[in-house]
Amino acid sequence: MANKSTYTYQPTPEQLALAEERRRQREAKKLQQQNTQNHAHLPPTFLPRPWRSLPSTQTASQSIIKVMSWNLLAQCLIRSNLFPSSSKALKTTHREPMIHAEILSHSADIMCMQEVDRLNKLSPVLEQAGYSSAYATGPGKQHGCLIAYKQDKYNRVDELIIEYDKQEVRGDSSHPAARIGSSRITNNIGFMVALAEAGADQKGVIIATTHLFWHPAFTYERARQAGILVREVLNFRQSRELDHWPCIIAGDFNFAPDDPAYSLLVGDPLTEAQSHRLDMSRVVHITIDPTVPRTKKKADEEEGDGSEADPDRVINNSRAAASSDGLLSDLELTSLFINGVQLRSAYDEGQRAQRDNGTPGDLHTFGDRVSLPPTRLGAHEPMWTSYTHYWKTTLDYIFFVGTSKHRIDVTGYLNPHRTNDIEAGLPQIGICGSDHVSLCAEFLLSQ
């Protein structure tokens, strides 16, 4: 009987290489899945801050509303050279869990957010937590403003987007650009919603948020935008026959408490130094007048570009404004604001009351840092609301205004970060996922 011959399979070198590559791909995919699962179960950490309550007495005819405001630092604006001390904190895998956790930790009734992108990540988090939201962007912007509110407490009855570049500020000119009176096209917006209390359509609040133009030297343009915002919020309230509803205006205003626009908002007279800053910034940019000669290769059209040298002092691609350009004088700017009302600031009032009550604790204010007289409005704003390796200042506020028949008062606020907690520069893992500090205040509304 003949023996059967046996055959041993011998793969070719090419087949061995292909099998090894497939094995490596399977191992890499498995490792990636494990890392993703492990990361998903890591608790997102940020540095919590104490809440400061102010004396108040609530009656049955009054209601409490808690409002948060935060510039989230849009991922599309991040440039590593602008945040040299933040390292891994700039990556979405680290930033987003921290940001989402901090947002939800406030349990605010209403939230105003700026520099919001990646809505596909944020919106599900808000919806799962019981919030509805409205979102708006300026022309060509990859990030925008978002207003979220607890859907079991409020119903959205109306909304409005304000494009600052298109808003007129004077009617005594036949030239459209002069009626607008702008120094530069910025594509910035204001955004507002009217929120009625659930089950009580006649009771509610108007919420507005904004992100004003960023360039430090364009003082006039920010003042113009701030005046338009207040005017349009009040027009919105009146045109919708909601005159009895209080207004809250929160956001990143990109100016400090000693800026002319802040004083104009709260009704303080302009100082000589503030008038000088306005005068120096009354220019017409190439975006308004294309005949302006260029003074550099590229204009900074987006915040965080980082390509402009010494932006605090330099205004490029611009010319001095002529009377025919329609830019507002100091008196006309003041009239634009007085046409509305004087805003109050939650943090300025809250921290001032804390100090006046003799319980300042670890209170550190803007006025302490820049020697602003304590009697000047704005002196008790947070010492910092934005703190990076290069930029350290106060830019964010929660303003509010009541009506002739209904009051609104501050009853508490979230303590700002202490300097030694953020001195490494934001964002930082375990501290804060944005380069701005979240603000949160509680109000007592007399309806």
Side-chain angles (χ1 to χ4, degrees), residues 99-412:
I99 288 173
H100 296 167
E102 184 164 349
I103 287 172
L104 298 183
S105 73
H106 298 314
S107 191
D109 301 304
I110 299 171
M111 299 185 291
C112 297
M113 289 172 261
Q114 310 82 42
E115 281 195 31
V116 178
D117 61 357
R118 295 173 62 84
L119 275 177
N120 61 318
K121 300 295 183 180
L122 177 60
S123 294
V125 173
L126 295 176
E127 291 170 5
Q128 187 174 3
Y131 290 91
S132 293
S133 62
Y135 179 75
T137 63
K141 295 275 190 178
Q142 296 179 339
H143 57 89
C145 295
L146 183 145
I147 298 175
Y149 52 94
K150 287 185 176 178
Q151 57 190 11
D152 63 346
K153 189 169 182 178
Y154 295 102
N155 298 314
R156 186 166 81 239
V157 296
D158 208 347
E159 65 182 60
L160 180 67
I161 301 172
I162 308 163
E163 293 187 34
Y164 295 125
D165 295 336
K166 298 179 180 179
Q167 291 291 319
E168 295 185 358
V169 293
R170 60 166 70 250
D172 57 353
S173 175
S174 59
H175 195 282
R179 291 198 299 271
I180 291 173
S182 174
S183 62
R184 176 172 178 159
I185 292 176
T186 71
N187 296 323
N188 289 81
I189 63 166
F191 182 46
M192 69 188 79
V193 298
L195 299 176
E197 291 187 15
D201 291 344
Q202 299 305 311
K203 297 171 63 177
V205 62
I206 293 172
I207 302 291
T209 190
T210 193
H211 186 195
L212 301 187
F213 185 50
W214 74 274
H215 193 306
F218 277 80
T219 304
Y220 166 83
E221 188 55 37
R222 264 188 306 279
R224 173 186 166 276
Q225 292 178 358
I228 289 171
L229 175 63
V230 176
R231 181 190 70 185
E232 293 306 305
V233 168
L234 297 174
N235 287 343
F236 178 83
R237 181 169 72 172
Q238 183 177 18
S239 65
R240 272 66 173 182
E241 298 183 351
L242 303 173
D243 295 49
H244 55 295
W245 286 16
C247 301
I248 297 174
I249 305 174
D252 177 1
F253 289 79
N254 267 317
F255 55 66
D258 58 357
D259 187 88
Y262 186 98
S263 294
L264 289 167
L265 279 173
V266 300
D268 265 354
L270 293 175
T271 66
E272 184 177 347
Q274 289 175 331
S275 293
H276 179 69
R277 289 176 63 183
L278 283 169
D279 190 51
M280 293 298 292
S281 64
R282 284 190 177 91
V283 299
V284 174
H285 190 259
I286 195 171
T287 52
I288 300 289
D289 180 1
T291 68
V292 172
R294 287 188 174 274
T295 55
K296 65 171 191 168
K297 292 182 180 179
K298 177 184 176 183
D300 299 324
E301 297 303 331
E302 184 60 277
E303 180 165 8
D305 186 290
S307 62
E308 184 159 10
D310 201 4
D312 279 317
R313 298 178 176 83
V314 178
I315 296 181
N316 290 306
N317 302 327
S318 303
R319 62 167 172 80
S323 58
S324 58
D325 294 312
L327 272 61
L328 301 175
S329 66
D330 285 6
L331 183 60
E332 289 171 323
L333 267 177
T334 303
S335 297
L336 177 64
F337 284 83
I338 290 179
N339 192 41
V341 295
Q342 297 176 3
L343 301 187
R344 298 160 62 191
S345 167
Y347 271 79
D348 192 47
E349 288 198 10
Q351 296 203 125
R352 186 183 300 273
Q354 196 82 21
R355 178 162 282 169
D356 291 345
N357 290 339
T359 56
D362 57 352
L363 187 65
H364 303 286
T365 67
F366 178 82
D368 297 332
R369 176 166 66 87
V370 301
S371 299
L372 196 67
T375 55
R376 185 87 178 173
L377 293 176
H380 286 81
E381 294 287 359
M383 182 173 285
W384 316 104
T385 68
S386 180
Y387 201 100
T388 73
H389 181 79
Y390 293 114
W391 297 89
K392 303 169 181 64
T393 188
T394 302
L395 303 172
D396 308 83
Y397 310 95
I398 301 178
F399 294 112
F400 62 100
V401 59
T403 70
S404 58
K405 297 182 179 179
H406 303 282
R407 283 188 57 83
I408 174 172
D409 293 291
V410 185
T411 58

